[in-house]
């Protein structure tokens, strides 16, 4: 008798144990659901809806939970960049989205991981759901707007689609209200251009090359090392035709061009000037270490053997050849603070931190003229120099002047790592603007009174100004005072940066509140 009880208890324990392991996943999910509804008495899983309309219109809906009798917590899934993203969306009794949680995803770890961070998830808290949520790039203007994770448009849209499917299904199921259909994939337009071909454009022509055609050109094979901006070195064996050879087949001589602009599907851009084109083979790489490159790098990436990582553009969609690039002749070197003091700053939220930023277009408007055929150059304390087209930076580019890595350029499509951090200065063809607090790290200095003075000659040279004996200089300050300086005078000057202001020293302080130095 006793033995039988022990046997039954044993069997029950085994069954319970097995059930525990089998159901553990789902009970973990249920716990996540309960966390959104601390007051709930009864939480019931609905495994599937036996309903044609619902599954046709809201294919992202996988299962749901009834909370005290009302279907309002949804497990929804939409395909992101690499695979499905599974989201838990919780709605309350008053038709308000309580919040969401990411249950599973396979997005790449370098930037799309941010879809799991609180600062992004908080954007889904306590929202009305009378309309579908709408992904926006920069500013929230309407209650339904969700600001995307910078540089992770596809992943952000997938999360929004998943939540919208929950919203649509909720209205249909509970109130028989029919909202628009929500796809469980991100629209094709969002993928920018296709991953199978790229274009090369010049003055009066262009060619499009696809990933099969690329293999038909003469191939260059090379052992190369890419050094990224954090200093990490990666050895690769790359294969692909050179840009020079591909163009030669079209009757075009790359050597006749002043530079090229290379754009990625993600909007990443870099300019490669003639100097770099002469010493580097630009390898249109489709195979690395014996394998065809990953989808995230297709159709091709360029290898630029002698240059740093930022030049090795991935997922190339366009290569533009430039006949001429207006040369730089810097005539004015401005101090950043006084130049921008009457520009309204914008508090740009970038990867969860909201910092004071300035729109570059508004800074450009301060200059007498901006040559659109010239480049916008940014330089950093570590020696990185990046050129961009003026039209690209004019819109939607910001300079972040506070917080991590400042001064640094940011834009809606910019992933972390693409930026020029700790900028010493930036310039157009005629104007340069310096950040004295960073400039001090790359020029000769000398102690002056209790401060450190920067040699003016070095500052002007780093900023890109060039002169000869017959040139002279003018220093101007914010009180509209002027000091004329011969080249000889200028060479004896120092700048001191204190409390956001720059003063000019020559033996003694000769000007405070310096605005700019002009060359005549
Ligand atoms: N299309 C595109 N290409 C790009 C980037 C990018 O963000 N988008 N990042 C650049 C930067 S800043 C670096 S350091 C390298 C990094 O290359 P890796 O991912 O092979 O290390 O790619 C460059 N090419
Ligand atoms: Mo980078």
């Amino acid at each position: 008798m006793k033995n039988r009880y022990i046997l039954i208890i044993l069997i029950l324990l085994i069954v319970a144990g097995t059930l525990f392991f089998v159901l553990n996943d789902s009970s973990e999910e249920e716990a996540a659901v309960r966390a959104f509804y601390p007051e709930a008495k009864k939480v019931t899983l609905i495994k599937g809806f036996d309903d044609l309309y619902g599954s046709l219109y809201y294919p992202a809906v996988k299962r749901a939970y009834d909370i005290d009798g009302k279907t309002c917590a949804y497990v929804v899934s939409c395909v992101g960049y690499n695979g499905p993203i599974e989201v838990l969306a919780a709605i309350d009794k008053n038709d308000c989205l309580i919040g969401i949680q990411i249950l599973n995803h396979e997005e790449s770890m370098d930037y799309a991981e941010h879809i799991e961070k609180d600062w992004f998830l908080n954007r889904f808290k306590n929202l009305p759901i009378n309309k579908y949520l709408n992904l926006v790039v920069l500013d929230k203007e309407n209650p339904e707007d969700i600001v995307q994770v910078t540089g992770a448009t596809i992943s952000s849209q997938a999360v929004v689609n998943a939540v919208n499917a929950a919203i649509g299904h909720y209205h249909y199921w509970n109130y028989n209200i029919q909202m628009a259909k929500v796809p469980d994939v991100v629209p094709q337009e969002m993928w920018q251009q296709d991953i199978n071909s790229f274009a090369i454009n010049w003055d009066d022509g262009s060619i499009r090359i696809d990933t099969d055609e690329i293999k038909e050109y003469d191939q260059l094979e090379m052992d190369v090392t890419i050094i990224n901006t954090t200093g990490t070195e990666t050895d690769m064996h790359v294969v692909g035709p050179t840009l020079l050879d591909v163009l030669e087949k079209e009757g075009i001589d790359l050597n006749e061009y002043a530079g090229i602009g290379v754009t990625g599907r993600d909007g990443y851009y870099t300019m490669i000037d003639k100097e770099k084109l002469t010493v580097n083979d630009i390898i249109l790489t489709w195979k690395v270490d014996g394998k065809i490159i990953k989808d995230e790098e297709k159709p091709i990436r360029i290898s630029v053997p002698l240059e740093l990582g930022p030049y090795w553009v991935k997922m190339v969609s366009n290569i533009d050849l430039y006949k001429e690039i207006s040369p730089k002749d810097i005539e004015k070197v401005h101090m950043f603070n006084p130049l921008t003091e009457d520009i309204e700053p914008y508090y740009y939220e970038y990867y969860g931190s909201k910092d004071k930023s300035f729109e570059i277009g508004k800074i450009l408007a301060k200059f007498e003229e901006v040559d659109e055929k010239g480049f916008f150059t940014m330089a950093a304390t570590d020696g990185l120099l990046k050129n961009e087209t003026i039209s690209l930076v004019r819109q939607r580019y910001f300079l972040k002047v506070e917080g991590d890595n400042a001064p640094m350029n940011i834009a809606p499509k910019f992933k972390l790592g693409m930026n020029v951090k700790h900028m010493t200065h930036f310039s157009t063809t005629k104007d340069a603007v310096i950040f004295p607090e960073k400039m001090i790290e790359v020029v000769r200095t000398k102690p002056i009174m209790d401060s450190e003075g920067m040699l003016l000659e070095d500052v002007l040279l780093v900023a890109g100004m060039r002169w000869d004996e017959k040139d002279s200089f003018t220093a101007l300050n914010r009180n509209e005072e002027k000091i004329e300086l011969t080249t000889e005078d200028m060479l004896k000057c120092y700048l001191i940066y204190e409390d956001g202001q720059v003063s000019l020293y020559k033996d003694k302080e000769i000007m405070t509140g310096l605005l700019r130095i002009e060359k005549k």
Side-chain angles (χ1 to χ4, degrees):
M1 202 60 180
K2 219 176 176 183
N3 277 344
R4 241 168 75 192
Y5 277 122
I6 289 172
L7 196 69
I8 289 170
I9 287 168
L10 219 67
I11 289 170
L12 280 176
L13 275 176
I14 290 168
V15 170
T18 318
L19 272 177
F20 179 78
F21 280 111
V22 170
L23 295 177
N24 194 30
D25 247 18
S26 56
S27 60
E28 212 175 275
E29 185 178 287
E30 195 184 306
V33 172
R34 280 183 185 277
F36 280 104
Y37 305 92
E39 244 101 273
K41 294 194 185 67
K42 197 157 175 248
V43 175
T44 336
L45 170 67
I46 307 170
K47 278 232 177 87
F49 295 91
D50 189 12
D51 173 73
L52 192 62
Y53 179 88
S55 59
L56 273 179
Y57 268 62
Y58 311 111
V61 173
K62 297 300 162 218
R63 51 191 176 275
Y65 288 82
D66 275 2
I67 311 296
D68 298 332
K70 187 173 182 184
T71 307
C72 56
Y74 281 84
V75 176
V76 269
S77 162
C78 180
V79 181
Y81 202 97
N82 288 337
I85 303 179
E86 201 173 61
V87 181
L88 170 62
I91 299 167
D92 71 10
K93 284 201 281 291
N94 309 315
D95 304 335
C96 186
L97 181 67
I98 306 172
I100 69 164
Q101 186 179 332
I102 307 292
L103 297 174
N104 280 301
H105 76 87
E106 301 166 16
E107 302 302 89
S108 67
M109 273 334 234
D110 43 345
Y111 56 97
E113 63 180 311
H114 296 283
I115 61 169
E116 283 192 291
K117 297 260 168 80
D118 282 342
W119 56 261
F120 180 63
L121 298 178
N122 285 344
R123 295 174 184 175
F124 294 85
K125 273 192 179 155
N126 305 319
L127 297 182
I129 53 162
N130 52 332
K131 284 185 186 155
Y132 281 139
L133 304 181
N134 174 41
L135 191 73
V136 294
V137 170
L138 208 55
D139 284 307
K140 184 179 171 91
E141 282 168 4
N142 301 302
E144 67 271 21
D145 290 346
I146 300 285
V147 181
Q148 69 162 76
V149 174
T150 308
T153 315
I154 305 274
S155 313
S156 307
Q157 184 66 54
V159 174
V160 165
N161 274 23
V163 177
N164 281 344
I167 293 172
H169 195 278
Y170 171 87
H171 281 103
Y172 161 66
W173 194 251
N174 292 297
Y175 307 122
N176 209 15
I177 296 172
Q178 302 187 352
M179 291 174 78
K181 194 171 173 173
V182 181
D184 60 354
V185 291
V186 170
Q188 202 56 48
E189 306 87 81
M190 281 212 154
W191 286 86
Q192 295 241 322
Q193 295 124 39
D194 73 308
I195 63 166
N196 298 315
S197 76
F198 67 99
I200 307 178
N201 312 302
W202 55 93
D203 341 278
D204 49 6
S206 75
I207 40 164
R208 183 162 280 282
I209 299 174
D210 71 31
T211 41
D212 287 326
E213 288 160 350
I214 192 107
K215 301 172 187 163
E216 286 158 20
Y217 293 91
D218 289 340
Q219 305 291 313
L220 179 66
E221 290 205 21
M222 205 189 246
D223 287 314
V224 293
T225 303
I226 176 172
I227 306 172
N228 75 17
T229 33
T230 55
T232 320
E233 299 191 9
T234 311
D235 295 327
M236 299 194 275
H237 183 76
V238 299
V239 178
T242 64
L243 180 61
L244 188 84
D245 283 352
V246 169
L247 287 172
E248 202 182 275
K249 296 261 183 316
E250 304 298 318
I252 288 177
D253 182 3
L254 182 60
N255 297 311
E256 284 173 9
Y257 287 83
I260 63 171
V262 188
T263 313
R265 286 190 283 119
D266 57 350
Y268 184 85
Y269 170 93
T270 203
M271 197 273 272
I272 306 177
D273 63 20
K274 198 183 188 76
E275 218 176 303
K276 294 192 167 65
L277 290 176
T278 354
V279 295
N280 283 282
D281 282 310
I282 307 295
I283 308 167
L284 308 178
T285 309
W286 57 273
K287 200 175 177 185
V288 174
D289 298 334
K291 282 192 239 103
I292 291 177
I293 54 174
K294 295 177 279 189
D295 278 0
E296 297 100 281
E297 302 190 357
K298 277 181 187 167
I300 56 158
R301 90 170 294 172
I302 57 164
S303 302
V304 195
L306 304 175
E307 310 303 329
L308 287 172
Y311 286 93
W312 301 49
V313 182
K314 297 182 273 196
M315 48 175 119
V316 172
S317 63
N318 281 290
I319 299 178
D320 296 294
L321 311 186
Y322 303 126
K323 255 265 130 74
E324 54 174 4
I325 294 171
S326 305
K328 283 190 187 264
D329 178 15
I330 302 297
E331 291 174 350
K332 293 176 186 164
V333 174
H334 309 259
M335 309 297 119
F336 185 80
N337 287 343
L339 178 72
T340 55
E341 69 189 347
D342 62 351
I343 299 178
E344 177 99 39
Y346 177 81
Y347 287 80
Y348 196 121
E349 183 165 353
Y350 190 71
Y351 290 91
S353 162
K354 216 170 191 167
D355 298 305
K356 185 175 179 179
S357 308
F358 291 94
E359 213 178 313
I360 293 190
K362 291 191 178 149
I363 301 174
L364 296 181
K366 294 263 171 193
F367 302 154
E368 241 163 64
E369 62 156 291
V370 177
D371 183 344
E372 299 282 333
K373 283 213 171 77
F375 278 89
F376 183 82
T377 306
M378 292 171 289
T381 48
D382 64 0
L384 175 69
L385 206 101
K386 200 153 184 277
N387 287 308
E388 311 257 348
T389 59
I390 296 278
S391 58
L392 194 84
V393 299
R394 204 188 269 292
Q395 299 166 343
R396 295 250 149 139
Y397 247 60
F398 292 80
L399 273 177
K400 175 177 107 95
V401 296
E402 284 174 357
D404 283 353
N405 304 317
M408 170 172 98
N409 63 324
I410 50 182
K413 281 184 176 167
F414 265 42
K415 301 190 283 275
L416 270 176
M418 272 169 63
N419 331 69
V420 179
K421 299 172 196 158
H422 305 295
M423 225 181 266
T424 52
H425 67 282
F426 58 89
S427 65
T428 59
T429 56
K430 296 221 166 342
D431 293 270
V433 181
I434 68 158
F435 294 99
E437 70 275 31
K438 292 294 164 199
M439 190 53 96
I440 200 163
E441 295 178 26
V442 300
V443 295
R444 281 176 286 173
T445 60
K446 132 178 149 182
I448 295 177
M449 325 245 273
D450 292 333
S451 313
E452 219 183 335
M454 293 174 250
L455 188 61
L456 180 59
E457 175 191 8
D458 284 7
V459 172
L460 298 181
L461 278 172
V462 170
M465 194 182 265
R466 299 293 177 264
W467 58 83
D468 53 44
E469 248 74 297
K470 61 182 193 300
D471 287 321
S472 65
F473 301 83
T474 310
L476 297 96
N477 77 357
R478 34 208 316 200
N479 303 327
E480 291 174 27
E481 293 162 354
K482 285 183 184 181
I483 295 180
E484 305 296 331
L485 301 163
T486 62
T487 300
E488 205 177 315
D489 293 334
M490 184 276 287
L491 295 175
K492 290 182 194 140
C493 286
Y494 283 83
L495 299 182
I496 289 185
Y497 178 71
E498 240 162 25
D499 304 325
Q501 294 300 318
V502 178
S503 6
L504 185 65
Y505 271 73
K506 192 174 140 271
D507 308 323
K508 57 182 193 333
E509 184 178 277
I510 54 171
M511 184 176 257
T512 58
L514 183 70
L515 203 54
R516 64 175 183 268
I517 304 280
E518 291 183 4
K519 178 181 79 167
K520 284 193 294 183

